[in-house]
């Protein structure tokens, strides 16, 4: 059971498969990020490229809120085409303190599960 001061953190890291997929990647990434930023239960949503990996860091009030976002709208469409565009890993967890960007890549490397 999570305490009231805990949040759900989701870290994704993707590597685009080829330069030919860049435009498709950005089309879906921008639409998905816009959807995340207006989703119920979102606390913060940001993205950065670290060591060639396109990372997203989203912080949610609950895992349930993140899951409502996950399979709807632009993000659902992105999931459908993902195998042709990129390869990557994700990691989600409950915490009292979301990581800073200086920690995201290391957490992803250590705990990420292939998507």
């Amino acid at each position: 059971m999570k305490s009231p001061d805990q949040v759900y953190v989701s870290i994704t890291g993707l590597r685009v498969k080829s330069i030919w997929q860049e435009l498709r990647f950005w089309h879906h990434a921008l639409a998905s990020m816009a959807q995340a930023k207006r989703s119920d239960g979102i606390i913060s949503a940001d993205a950065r490229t670290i060591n060639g990996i396109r990372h997203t860091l989203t912080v949610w009030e609950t895992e349930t809120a993140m899951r409502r976002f996950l399979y709807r709208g632009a993000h659902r469409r992105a999931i459908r085409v993902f195998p042709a565009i990129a390869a990557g890993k994700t990691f989600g967890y409950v915490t009292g303190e979301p990581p800073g960007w200086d920690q995201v890549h290391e957490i992803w490397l250590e705990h990420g599960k292939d998507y």
Side-chain angles (χ1 to χ4, degrees):
M1 178 71 95
K2 84 178 195 71
S3 69
D5 59 342
Q6 291 185 315
V7 295
Y8 187 81
V9 170
S10 178
I11 298 171
T12 301
L14 304 175
R15 183 179 303 277
V16 178
K17 289 184 174 181
S18 77
I19 194 166
W20 310 111
Q21 296 298 331
E22 286 286 334
L23 186 58
R24 286 180 76 196
F25 170 82
W26 285 111
H27 168 77
H28 289 286
L30 293 172
S32 293
M33 183 59 75
Q35 176 189 344
K37 287 183 175 186
R38 63 178 186 272
S39 292
D40 290 339
I42 190 72
I43 295 169
S44 66
D46 198 8
R48 299 210 180 150
T49 300
I50 303 170
N51 295 341
I53 306 295
R54 276 50 177 285
H55 284 288
T56 60
L57 169 62
T58 56
V59 181
W60 303 85
E61 293 173 358
T62 63
E63 183 177 359
T64 300
M66 186 279 299
R67 292 201 176 278
R68 280 193 307 262
F69 153 79
L70 196 60
Y71 297 111
R72 294 187 178 155
H75 195 264
R76 181 179 178 173
R77 289 187 292 279
I79 288 173
R80 285 190 202 147
V81 299
F82 168 79
I85 295 174
K89 298 190 272 186
T90 64
F91 179 60
Y93 63 102
V94 174
T95 185
E97 186 173 335
W101 276 107
D102 58 328
Q103 303 166 298
V104 167
H105 190 69
E106 291 302 318
I107 292 170
W108 177 82
L109 285 172
E110 184 175 341
H111 301 286
K113 304 287 186 250
D114 288 336
Y115 182 78

